[in-house]
Amino acid sequence: MLRVDALHAHYGRAHILQGVSFSVAKGDALVLLGRNGAGKSTTFKSLIGLVRPTSGRIAFDGQDIAGHEPHVIARAGLGYVPEERRIFTDLTVMENLEVGRLPARDGQPPWTPERLFGIFPNLAAMRTRPGGRMSGGEQQMLAIARTLMGNPRLILLDEPSEGLAPVIVEQMVHAIRAMRDGGVTVVLAEQNLHFALAVADHATIIEKGRIAWAGRVAELQADAGLRETWLAL
Amino acid sequence: MSMALPPCRRTKRCGSCAPPEPVSALLVQLLSGLSGASSLFLVAAGLTVIFGVTRVVNFSHGSLTMLGAYLGWSILTRLPRGPEYFVLGIVLTALATAGIGALIEMLLLRRIYRAPELLQLLFTFGIVLVVQDAAQFLWGPNDLPLPRAPWLRSFVTIAGERVPFYDLVLIGIGPLVLAALWLLFTRTRWGTLVRAATQDREMVAALGVDQRRLFTTVFALGAGLAGMGGALALPDASANLQIDLNIITDAFVVVVVGGLGSLPGAFLASLLIGVLQSFGIVLFPQATLVLVFVIMAAVLVVRPNGLLGRAPAVARGAGQGFAAIRPAVPLLLRLGAAALVLAVLAPLAVGPFVLSVMTEMLIAMLFAASLHFMMGPGGMASFGHAAWFGIGAYAAAFAVKGLALGMGAGLLLAPLLAGVAAALFGWFVVRLSGVYLAMLTLAFAQIVWAAMFQAVEITGGDNGVLGVWPAPWAADRRVFYWLVLALCVGATLLLRRVLYAPFGYALRASRDSELRAEAIGLDTTLLRLAAFTLAGAAAGLAGGLAAFSKGSVFPGFISISRSVDGLLMVLLGGVQSMAGPVVGAVAYTGLFDLLLLATDQWRAMLGLAIIVLVLVFPQGIAGSIHRLWLRGREA
Ligand SMILES: Nc1ncnc2c1ncn2[C@@H]1O[C@H](COP(=O)(O)OP(=O)(O)OP(=O)(O)O)[C@@H](O)[C@H]1O
Ligand SMILES: [Mg+2]
């Protein structure tokens, strides 16, 4: 589904990604783990085209998308939910969803606002509320729902559980499972290990812009030393 | 260089219709003001919408209005004269200007969205110059009035007063267009995308929306509105070559007063300005523009973001600032000293023509250096720096002709008055930054220009002040040159000295981080005001010298193109070093004199030069060279 090969990226002259490689199979859920500043968000931005990778290959659905414009990549079926959510604060919930809407794809039932309200019941009650007047958790749900409106084949979720209350995190776990049931492949960046373990099958640990470890989530769960080495603060 | 502008800015209701009786003036004047507000609103709405999405302040918006007037004239004079054909003609004009706008966006603007703000402004000014020459080439230099069909001349009686029917039509069009735009922006997918992109265009792109198409369509809409505004104003005025700069100033004022990016704000502000101008012409014909400016100042003092505007959130993915550059100091100093020696000795070797060009270069150098002082270290990019230059020139002329004082007094009064004016105006301008500041300084310069134009008793209006000659002891060209050399080099060095004094460091600190500067106890507003005043005074001295050098003063001393000259000199040379404006001024003055000698189409040539320069060096020449140098070092 997605195969990233020796990806390099810079901010100005700072060499941030120094050869990131990983791959995800269709229908799978992969979590990128790593400390603050490890390069998770930069990886996602390079995938969606907001950061132009300096070298490396990104094969998505058999197509090389490295260096393409963001809208081309999004239209190819790659969805992106940024860490800062970036809700359109002047627009209502329904309007935010409208901005994300893209045509349906073959072999996948299209996401509609009604279907999304089934996953995110909180949103259903605030259709005409401006995005600027929603709580952080509500904004996070809206950001995910907005991206799903584009009927992505694969969705990049950058720290979806960040700053959420435990109840909301629980809802988020269900939401991600619902997405996977709907046929969406999931790649998420996380610091919250418990959340990651609850939703992902595979994990990749990124450290200073390089891949430090890759394997099954279950192995990570079993190996405290591994977690200690790469994830402890 | 000066650009001839028209003697009267607002010639609404002149010619065939008699001036209204004083008693009925109120109602008729009010309605006339409201009708004028409509076409102003259309233009300003286009400007504000384009700015909202692309973050480009489109200087050439007035040119689109002018094209609308000319195209409207060409179309309407070929159609039958019934009202239904008038509507058709207006619609066709709007479509045509929308098409032209789309072309301009796709061929030109699209390439500079990531360039620094100031270069974008300059770039669109290049378009203004090109369009001006193109329009003159296509339609000729004369005003083209629209022959008015009978229905356009008819009156309606309201409360016993005869009100032009067309005024009522215009009054209706404003709210109609506002409503239509509102529906477009809130009820359509396109409008939703535009509003989203206004806030965060990167995110919109990441959601699969092609920004390019969005920008082109927004630009086409804005251009269509501008063209429609131009065509709708035809029956009350004419198609002429001055529309572009006149309307853009008004539209800037409206957009700033209403709040950047706010459509209802633009509507309110255009009503306010339209009515004010209409009454102003009756009540204080000499001070209409000053009145407009006072209102703008009042609004901005109470609401710094305009009537309905909000704090300017830095739009993501918008243009960036200039790269910072440090000059190689010792070499430059040695070169400068050598140049100075040559400049001192020059009069012994060169003829009178070269000497007068060199005098001009020196004055340009001080002018550019004073602008650089505000722009570079001060971080305030002025688009109306000619205001101080002009005030200085008029002050010098007034001292000599009006007060019968000597040249010395004139050269003293020039920087003094310019400095005082800069301090007064700067008092509220220095609180603003970026585009707001650029627009306000531009508006202010236009107002000074108009004031000099209108105060015929003191300034001679369009005829200018003649016979402003140097004192007998400096009457010799060479002596005068040495005087100019001493004063210009002295003042420029003084500015440089100030830059490396604690004041200069404090100024740069407050430019780079206002918060941090205030945290260490600097009064950033006061610092900026001092810099603004000093720059104004220095430009005033340059203006005073120019007055004596030319022997006369004209409103052209305050033209927009003179302000832009200054910007070009600074940007050509480079913003970040003091040598930049000096080199830029000398190179530019020389180049420009060559251009004037070589061609009549100097506007188009200059415009094209600006466009090409910005396209090739989107970071400014110095910034681009710096980048190349960095890349060279890395390789
Ligand atoms: N816009 C930027 N300009 C320059 N450097 C940046 C920028 N954004 C991020 N960086 C740097 O790039 C590195 C990687 O940042 P990134 O945001 O990808 O980390 P992350 O793994 O997402 O961290 P976190 O868990 O804190 O979100 C960091 O060192 C950061 O300082
Ligand atoms: Mg991150």
Side-chain angles (χ1 to χ4, degrees):
Chain A
M1 182 91 208
L2 176 70
R3 167 165 228 100
V4 180
D5 238 341
L7 194 64
H8 289 256
H10 292 74
Y11 281 119
R13 309 183 64 190
H15 195 171
I16 305 296
L17 298 189
Q18 313 183 354
V20 169
S21 309
F22 62 88
S23 64
V24 204
K26 188 167 168 48
D28 230 347
L30 169 81
V31 61
L32 283 187
L33 294 162
R35 298 191 176 106
N36 288 115
K40 306 181 292 292
S41 298
T42 307
T43 303
F44 279 7
K45 285 180 189 162
S46 307
L47 293 180
I48 190 65
L50 291 179
V51 167
R52 189 172 278 265
T54 17
S55 67
R57 283 173 43 83
I58 306 171
F60 175 62
D61 248 2
Q63 218 181 325
D64 188 11
I65 56 167
H68 284 265
E69 297 273 335
H71 75 268
V72 175
I73 298 174
R75 286 184 167 257
L78 195 71
Y80 167 62
V81 181
E83 189 173 355
E84 325 85 276
R85 292 147 198 176
R86 292 170 83 160
I87 287 300
F88 305 113
T89 49
D90 293 346
L91 273 56
T92 64
V93 168
M94 289 303 276
E95 287 173 334
N96 267 285
L97 294 180
E98 174 63 25
V99 175
R101 184 166 63 84
L102 288 175
R105 282 169 217 284
D106 300 338
Q108 216 176 295
W111 291 95
T112 60
E114 293 316 315
R115 210 178 137 206
L116 288 165
F117 292 151
I119 305 185
F120 302 110
N122 303 29
L123 296 181
M126 42 181 81
R127 286 163 209 245
T128 57
R129 170 113 45 115
R133 281 199 262 127
M134 299 168 73
S135 75
E138 290 158 358
Q139 287 193 351
Q140 183 63 268
M141 294 180 196
L142 178 57
I144 295 173
R146 181 179 66 179
T147 299
L148 285 175
M149 283 295 287
N151 299 305
R153 291 185 218 280
L154 183 149
I155 192 167
L156 304 170
L157 301 170
D158 200 345
E159 304 206 20
S161 74
E162 189 184 355
L164 301 188
V167 191
I168 311 284
V169 172
E170 196 56 38
Q171 277 190 27
M172 205 56 86
V173 171
H174 289 299
I176 290 175
R177 286 187 182 146
M179 270 178 237
R180 296 188 61 187
D181 292 343
V184 185
T185 307
V186 175
V187 178
L188 65 157
E190 262 306 334
Q191 307 228 32
N192 179 340
L193 196 60
H194 297 289
F195 182 78
L197 297 177
V199 294
D201 323 307
H202 292 87
T204 294
I205 296 178
I206 183 166
E207 172 68 21
K208 296 206 179 107
R210 293 201 174 89
I211 300 301
W213 182 86
R216 298 193 63 85
V217 162
E219 300 169 45
L220 196 60
Q221 196 161 18
D223 192 339
L226 200 59
R227 295 201 300 270
E228 189 68 24
T229 316
W230 298 115
L231 301 175
L233 292 175
Chain B
M1 130 189 199
S2 71
M3 194 177 294
L5 287 166
C8 170
R9 275 173 49 88
R10 216 151 304 279
T11 47
K12 223 175 165 265
R13 293 275 158 267
C14 53
S16 53
C17 32
E21 294 295 310
V23 193
S24 61
L26 212 63
L27 179 70
V28 174
Q29 216 54 39
L30 176 70
L31 292 175
S32 151
L34 289 176
S35 72
S38 269
S39 82
L40 185 54
F41 166 64
L42 294 194
V43 179
L47 188 66
T48 215
V49 167
I50 289 175
F51 174 80
V53 177
T54 64
R55 297 283 143 176
V56 171
V57 176
N58 179 24
F59 220 117
S60 63
H61 202 65
S63 306
L64 292 164
T65 307
M66 183 172 79
L67 281 180
Y70 275 112
L71 287 171
W73 184 88
S74 292
I75 292 173
L76 288 171
T77 48
R78 280 175 180 74
L79 288 176
R81 305 179 72 185
E84 67 277 24
Y85 287 102
F86 184 80
V87 174
L88 177 67
I90 298 289
V91 171
L92 287 178
T93 307
L95 290 177
T97 41
I100 294 174
L103 275 181
I104 291 181
E105 198 278 340
M106 288 191 285
L107 295 177
L108 297 174
L109 285 178
R110 175 171 293 184
R111 296 164 207 285
I112 56 149
Y113 285 135
R114 291 189 164 270
E117 237 168 33
L118 204 60
L119 284 185
Q120 294 177 338
L121 268 175
L122 209 62
F123 184 84
T124 56
F125 187 75
I127 300 178
V128 171
L129 292 173
V130 173
V131 172
Q132 231 170 32
D133 265 3
Q136 177 160 3
F137 178 77
L138 290 173
W139 283 282
N142 297 326
D143 288 11
L144 301 177
L146 185 70
R148 297 222 275 167
W151 72 272
L152 278 173
R153 275 181 269 135
S154 64
F155 287 85
V156 175
T157 308
I158 297 176
E161 304 299 342
R162 273 155 52 88
V163 177
F165 172 65
Y166 189 63
D167 274 9
L168 296 182
V169 173
L170 283 182
I171 291 174
I173 286 178
L176 267 178
V177 169
L178 178 65
L181 287 175
W182 187 80
L183 286 176
L184 183 64
F185 282 114
T186 55
R187 291 286 184 273
T188 67
R189 172 172 167 84
W190 182 83
T192 308
L193 295 181
V194 168
R195 282 187 296 137
T198 302
Q199 189 184 344
D200 187 348
R201 58 199 204 195
E202 229 179 60
M203 191 61 224
V204 171
L207 289 169
V209 178
D210 185 353
Q211 289 186 75
R212 256 171 307 182
R213 218 187 298 160
L214 206 56
F215 281 24
T216 306
T217 47
V218 164
F219 205 86
L221 174 74
L225 286 171
M228 193 168 154
L232 281 174
L234 265 180
D236 282 335
S238 65
N240 61 65
L241 292 168
Q242 285 80 44
I243 292 177
D244 51 357
L245 293 186
N246 286 345
I247 196 80
I248 196 68
T249 316
D250 287 354
F252 276 176
V253 171
V254 164
V255 166
V256 167
V257 168
L260 271 179
S262 162
L263 273 177
F267 184 70
L268 269 185
S270 44
L271 288 186
L272 187 68
I273 303 289
V275 171
L276 205 74
Q277 280 177 339
S278 165
F279 277 103
I281 282 177
V282 178
L283 299 177
F284 333 87
Q286 308 297 324
T288 322
L289 285 157
V290 179
L291 201 68
V292 168
F293 184 70
V294 168
I295 293 293
M296 176 164 83
V299 168
L300 287 180
V301 166
V302 182
R303 298 188 60 92
N305 298 306
L307 288 175
L308 299 181
R310 272 179 284 172
V314 180
R316 285 165 188 272
Q320 322 131 14
F322 287 97
I325 304 143
R326 287 258 131 239
V329 176
L331 177 67
L332 270 180
L333 282 183
R334 244 170 281 154
L335 280 177
L340 186 59
V341 170
L342 282 181
V344 171
L345 297 178
L348 305 175
V350 303
F353 174 71
V354 176
L355 201 60
S356 79
V357 171
M358 289 182 71
T359 310
E360 212 182 306
M361 282 179 176
L362 286 170
I363 294 172
M365 174 186 83
L366 178 56
F367 181 59
S370 68
L371 177 59
H372 166 265
F373 188 78
M374 286 179 56
M375 268 172 73
M380 300 174 282
S382 163
F383 251 70
H385 206 58
W388 323 120
F389 186 84
I391 290 176
Y394 273 103
F398 184 67
V400 175
K401 305 297 287 186
L403 304 177
L405 298 170
M407 180 177 78
L411 288 181
L412 209 66
L413 207 60
L416 203 71
L417 270 187
V420 169
L424 288 178
F425 175 66
W427 184 77
F428 64 91
V429 163
V430 296
R431 284 151 228 272
L432 307 172
S433 61
V435 173
Y436 270 91
L437 191 133
M439 283 199 198
L440 268 193
T441 47
L442 170 79
F444 182 71
Q446 280 302 87
I447 282 151
V448 173
W449 173 81
M452 294 307 156
F453 224 121
Q454 289 175 349
V456 180
E457 300 84 43
I458 307 173
T459 63
D462 199 19
N463 297 325
V465 188
L466 303 177
V468 187
W469 296 115
W473 63 266
D476 183 83
R477 270 274 148 211
R478 281 182 291 184
V479 177
F480 184 72
Y481 167 83
W482 276 316
L483 175 71
V484 171
L485 180 70
L487 286 176
C488 286
V489 171
T492 305
L493 287 179
L494 194 73
L495 288 178
R496 183 179 183 280
R497 179 82 193 75
V498 172
L499 271 191
Y500 295 106
F503 171 80
Y505 289 106
L507 186 64
R508 271 169 287 173
S510 57
R511 169 197 69 189
D512 294 338
S513 169
E514 198 170 323
L515 271 179
R516 245 173 287 165
E518 298 207 322
I520 58 169
L522 297 174
D523 185 342
T524 56
T525 309
L526 203 65
L527 277 168
R528 282 155 64 95
L529 182 59
F532 199 89
T533 307
L534 201 59
L541 178 61
L545 286 169
F548 287 111
S549 160
K550 291 258 188 302
S552 51
V553 181
F554 297 102
F557 275 50
I558 318 172
S559 62
I560 295 185
S561 51
R562 183 175 299 273
S563 298
V564 172
D565 283 353
L567 283 170
L568 276 174
M569 293 173 198
V570 173
L571 292 174
L572 283 181
V575 189
Q576 302 294 337
S577 79
M578 193 71 205
V582 175
V583 174
V586 170
Y588 182 80
T589 312
L591 232 129
F592 191 76
D593 284 349
L594 278 183
L595 208 60
L596 261 186
L597 288 179
T599 170
D600 289 342
Q601 258 81 46
W602 62 264
R603 283 199 206 89
M605 290 299 151
L606 182 60
L608 282 176
I610 296 176
I611 291 173
V612 170
L613 277 176
V614 177
L615 284 181
V616 177
F617 301 111
Q619 297 296 318
I621 293 181
S624 299
I625 290 174
H626 180 67
R627 283 197 160 188
L628 282 178
W629 182 68
L630 274 184
R631 208 174 301 160
R633 244 184 17 164
E634 244 166 49

